[in-house]
Amino acid sequence: MTIAGNIYGVVLNDAPEREALAAQFDDKPYAKPPVAPVVYMKPLASIAHGPVAVPDGGLTAATTLAVLIARDTRGVSADEANNCIGAVALALDLSVTSDSYYRPAVAQKNADDRLALGGFTDLRVPPSIRLLADGTCIHEWSLDRLVRPVATLIADLGAFMTLKAGDVLLVGLPGDAPTVTGGAILRVEADGIPPLEVAMREIAA
Protein backbone atom coordinates (compact mmCIF):
# COMPACT_ATOMS: atom_id res chain seq x y z
CA MET A 1 0.00 0.00 0.00
CA THR A 2 1.26 3.47 -0.91
CA ILE A 3 0.55 6.76 0.82
CA ALA A 4 0.01 8.92 -2.23
CA GLY A 5 -1.70 11.82 -0.48
CA ASN A 6 -1.81 13.60 2.86
CA ILE A 7 -1.88 12.32 6.43
CA TYR A 8 -4.69 13.71 8.57
CA GLY A 9 -5.49 13.05 12.20
CA VAL A 10 -8.22 14.03 14.62
CA VAL A 11 -7.98 15.00 18.27
CA LEU A 12 -10.69 15.15 20.92
CA ASN A 13 -12.26 11.96 19.57
CA ASP A 14 -11.67 10.11 22.84
CA ALA A 15 -14.78 10.17 25.05
CA PRO A 16 -12.99 10.06 28.46
CA GLU A 17 -10.69 12.90 27.37
CA ARG A 18 -13.63 15.05 26.28
CA GLU A 19 -15.32 14.41 29.60
CA ALA A 20 -12.18 15.42 31.48
CA LEU A 21 -11.89 18.64 29.43
CA ALA A 22 -15.59 19.54 29.54
CA ALA A 23 -15.13 22.46 31.95
CA GLN A 24 -12.31 23.93 29.84
CA PHE A 25 -14.51 23.99 26.75
CA ASP A 26 -16.71 26.65 28.38
CA ASP A 27 -13.72 28.96 28.95
CA LYS A 28 -11.92 31.18 26.47
CA PRO A 29 -10.73 30.72 23.78
CA TYR A 30 -13.01 27.73 23.14
CA ALA A 31 -16.34 29.03 24.56
CA LYS A 32 -18.07 25.74 23.67
CA PRO A 33 -17.20 22.12 22.89
CA PRO A 34 -16.21 21.35 19.30
CA VAL A 35 -19.13 20.31 17.12
CA ALA A 36 -17.10 19.06 14.14
CA PRO A 37 -14.02 16.81 14.08
CA VAL A 38 -10.85 18.68 15.09
CA VAL A 39 -8.32 17.97 12.36
CA TYR A 40 -4.53 18.22 12.25
CA MET A 41 -1.97 17.12 9.66
CA LYS A 42 1.25 15.13 9.81
CA PRO A 43 3.64 15.77 6.91
CA LEU A 44 5.06 12.80 5.03
CA ALA A 45 8.47 13.93 6.30
CA SER A 46 7.35 13.06 9.84
CA ILE A 47 7.15 9.32 9.10
CA ALA A 48 9.85 7.47 11.04
CA HIS A 49 12.06 5.06 9.10
CA GLY A 50 14.41 4.16 11.94
CA PRO A 51 15.10 4.90 15.61
CA VAL A 52 13.31 7.97 16.99
CA ALA A 53 15.33 10.66 18.79
CA VAL A 54 13.62 11.58 22.08
CA PRO A 55 14.22 15.07 23.53
CA ASP A 56 14.59 15.87 27.23
CA GLY A 57 11.20 15.49 28.86
CA GLY A 58 10.20 12.62 26.58
CA LEU A 59 7.44 12.32 24.01
CA THR A 60 3.78 11.54 24.33
CA ALA A 61 3.27 8.20 22.58
CA ALA A 62 -0.31 7.90 21.34
CA THR A 63 -1.34 4.68 19.62
CA THR A 64 -4.07 4.82 16.99
CA LEU A 65 -5.49 3.22 13.87
CA ALA A 66 -4.39 4.56 10.48
CA VAL A 67 -6.96 4.25 7.70
CA LEU A 68 -5.81 4.32 4.07
CA ILE A 69 -8.47 5.95 1.93
CA ALA A 70 -9.33 4.11 -1.29
CA ARG A 71 -11.80 6.56 -2.86
CA ASP A 72 -12.89 10.16 -2.34
CA THR A 73 -15.12 10.69 0.67
CA ARG A 74 -16.94 13.93 -0.14
CA GLY A 75 -20.57 13.66 0.94
CA VAL A 76 -20.54 9.96 1.86
CA SER A 77 -22.88 8.59 4.51
CA ALA A 78 -21.69 6.52 7.45
CA ASP A 79 -23.12 3.45 5.71
CA GLU A 80 -21.04 4.23 2.60
CA ALA A 81 -17.86 5.13 4.48
CA ASN A 82 -16.49 1.60 4.81
CA ASN A 83 -16.40 1.40 1.02
CA CYS A 84 -13.91 4.28 1.09
CA ILE A 85 -11.39 2.34 3.21
CA GLY A 86 -8.65 0.47 1.37
CA ALA A 87 -6.65 -0.82 4.34
CA VAL A 88 -5.74 -0.14 7.97
CA ALA A 89 -2.50 -0.11 9.95
CA LEU A 90 -1.34 0.54 13.48
CA ALA A 91 0.24 3.93 14.10
CA LEU A 92 2.17 5.68 16.85
CA ASP A 93 1.73 9.46 16.93
CA LEU A 94 4.60 11.05 18.85
CA SER A 95 4.48 14.62 20.12
CA VAL A 96 5.93 16.99 22.69
CA THR A 97 3.60 16.97 25.68
CA SER A 98 1.20 19.91 25.90
CA ASP A 99 -1.76 20.61 28.18
CA SER A 100 -3.70 22.54 25.53
CA TYR A 101 -4.96 21.90 22.02
CA TYR A 102 -5.32 25.62 21.33
CA ARG A 103 -2.86 26.67 18.63
CA PRO A 104 -0.04 24.32 19.65
CA ALA A 105 3.41 25.07 18.30
CA VAL A 106 3.96 23.15 15.08
CA ALA A 107 7.08 21.55 16.55
CA GLN A 108 4.97 19.95 19.28
CA LYS A 109 3.16 17.74 16.77
CA ASN A 110 5.28 17.79 13.63
CA ALA A 111 8.96 17.07 13.32
CA ASP A 112 11.10 14.37 11.79
CA ASP A 113 10.25 10.86 13.02
CA ARG A 114 7.06 11.87 14.83
CA LEU A 115 4.84 9.26 13.21
CA ALA A 116 5.48 5.51 13.05
CA LEU A 117 3.30 3.39 10.79
CA GLY A 118 2.93 -0.38 10.69
CA GLY A 119 2.06 -2.55 7.73
CA PHE A 120 -1.32 -2.01 6.08
CA THR A 121 -3.79 -4.87 5.94
CA ASP A 122 -7.42 -5.46 4.95
CA LEU A 123 -10.10 -3.53 6.79
CA ARG A 124 -10.39 -4.63 10.40
CA VAL A 125 -11.18 -2.41 13.37
CA PRO A 126 -9.58 -4.06 16.42
CA PRO A 127 -11.28 -4.00 19.82
CA SER A 128 -8.25 -2.41 21.47
CA ILE A 129 -4.68 -1.25 20.86
CA ARG A 130 -1.79 -2.00 23.21
CA LEU A 131 1.52 -0.19 23.67
CA LEU A 132 4.44 -2.16 25.10
CA ALA A 133 7.81 -0.82 26.21
CA ASP A 134 10.56 -3.46 26.37
CA GLY A 135 7.88 -6.15 26.50
CA THR A 136 5.75 -4.59 29.26
CA CYS A 137 2.32 -3.19 28.45
CA ILE A 138 2.26 0.49 29.45
CA HIS A 139 -1.02 1.50 27.83
CA GLU A 140 -4.11 -0.07 26.31
CA TRP A 141 -7.24 1.56 25.05
CA SER A 142 -10.46 0.38 23.47
CA LEU A 143 -11.64 1.91 20.21
CA ASP A 144 -15.10 1.84 21.77
CA ARG A 145 -13.89 5.07 23.39
CA LEU A 146 -14.07 6.91 20.06
CA VAL A 147 -16.72 9.63 20.11
CA ARG A 148 -17.02 9.16 16.36
CA PRO A 149 -16.40 5.56 15.28
CA VAL A 150 -14.40 5.16 12.07
CA ALA A 151 -17.31 5.19 9.60
CA THR A 152 -19.05 8.09 11.34
CA LEU A 153 -15.79 10.04 11.46
CA ILE A 154 -15.21 9.63 7.72
CA ALA A 155 -18.78 10.73 6.98
CA ASP A 156 -18.57 13.77 9.27
CA LEU A 157 -15.27 14.83 7.72
CA GLY A 158 -16.76 14.34 4.27
CA ALA A 159 -19.36 16.97 5.07
CA PHE A 160 -16.75 19.75 4.87
CA MET A 161 -13.53 18.29 3.39
CA THR A 162 -12.64 15.57 0.94
CA LEU A 163 -10.32 12.75 1.88
CA LYS A 164 -8.87 11.56 -1.41
CA ALA A 165 -7.66 8.15 -2.51
CA GLY A 166 -4.16 7.71 -1.10
CA ASP A 167 -4.75 9.88 1.98
CA VAL A 168 -4.32 8.44 5.47
CA LEU A 169 -6.59 9.21 8.42
CA LEU A 170 -5.52 8.71 12.06
CA VAL A 171 -8.87 8.08 13.73
CA GLY A 172 -8.20 9.51 17.20
CA LEU A 173 -5.70 9.67 20.05
CA PRO A 174 -6.14 8.43 23.63
CA GLY A 175 -6.19 11.32 26.08
CA ASP A 176 -4.27 9.23 28.63
CA ALA A 177 -1.38 8.34 26.30
CA PRO A 178 1.88 7.80 28.24
CA THR A 179 5.12 9.74 28.02
CA VAL A 180 8.13 7.72 26.86
CA THR A 181 11.82 8.41 27.13
CA GLY A 182 14.86 7.34 25.15
CA GLY A 183 16.27 3.84 25.37
CA ALA A 184 13.07 1.78 25.10
CA ILE A 185 11.81 -0.45 22.31
CA LEU A 186 8.14 0.33 21.75
CA ARG A 187 5.76 -2.17 20.20
CA VAL A 188 2.17 -1.47 19.17
CA GLU A 189 -0.16 -4.47 18.99
CA ALA A 190 -3.79 -5.18 18.11
CA ASP A 191 -5.56 -8.40 17.24
CA GLY A 192 -5.52 -9.18 13.53
CA ILE A 193 -3.24 -6.31 12.46
CA PRO A 194 0.54 -6.45 11.83
CA PRO A 195 2.42 -5.14 14.90
CA LEU A 196 4.55 -2.01 14.81
CA GLU A 197 7.93 -1.75 16.52
CA VAL A 198 10.11 1.35 16.91
CA ALA A 199 13.26 2.08 18.92
CA MET A 200 13.46 5.24 21.02
CA ARG A 201 16.93 6.72 21.43
CA GLU A 202 18.16 9.53 23.62
CA ILE A 203 19.50 12.65 21.95
CA ALA A 204 23.23 12.86 22.55
CA ALA A 205 24.20 15.72 24.85
Side-chain angles (χ1 to χ4, degrees):
M1 300 289 180
T2 301
I3 301 174
N6 299 312
I7 302 173
Y8 300 95
V10 291
V11 294
L12 299 176
N13 198 28
D14 177 25
E17 180 184 30
R18 286 181 68 116
E19 292 172 6
L21 295 174
Q24 294 185 33
F25 290 145
D26 293 329
D27 295 333
K28 294 180 179 180
Y30 306 105
K32 63 180 181 180
V35 296
V38 181
V39 183
Y40 66 100
M41 293 185 70
K42 301 286 272 193
L44 293 176
S46 70
I47 297 177
H49 297 288
V52 173
V54 182
D56 290 343
L59 292 171
T60 298
T63 59
T64 188
L65 188 70
V67 172
L68 182 64
I69 301 299
R71 70 177 181 88
D72 293 1
T73 65
R74 181 70 178 180
V76 300
S77 67
D79 289 338
E80 298 167 330
N82 283 332
N83 295 326
C84 298
I85 301 174
V88 298
L90 295 175
L92 186 64
D93 189 323
L94 299 159
S95 62
V96 174
T97 302
S98 173
D99 59 1
S100 173
Y101 284 116
Y102 183 69
R103 294 182 180 176
V106 172
Q108 289 179 343
K109 290 295 292 181
N110 291 327
D112 290 348
D113 302 331
R114 291 290 170 82
L115 177 65
L117 289 171
F120 282 94
T121 189
D122 293 339
L123 170 61
R124 181 189 301 268
V125 177
S128 64
I129 302 177
R130 301 174 294 277
L131 176 63
L132 291 78
D134 296 328
T136 298
C137 185
I138 60 172
H139 185 265
E140 182 172 7
W141 73 301
S142 168
L143 294 187
D144 287 342
R145 287 167 45 172
L146 293 177
V147 175
R148 290 178 171 89
V150 176
T152 303
L153 176 63
I154 291 173
D156 287 354
L157 286 168
F160 64 89
M161 64 178 286
T162 302
L163 297 174
K164 293 185 174 294
D167 287 345
V168 168
L169 175 65
L170 309 176
V171 302
L173 306 178
D176 57 349
T179 298
V180 298
T181 56
I185 302 295
L186 301 185
R187 181 180 172 91
V188 185
E189 297 179 345
D191 295 344
I193 299 180
L196 164 64
E197 194 165 283
V198 58
M200 313 297 286
R201 65 175 179 84
E202 296 178 355
I203 295 178

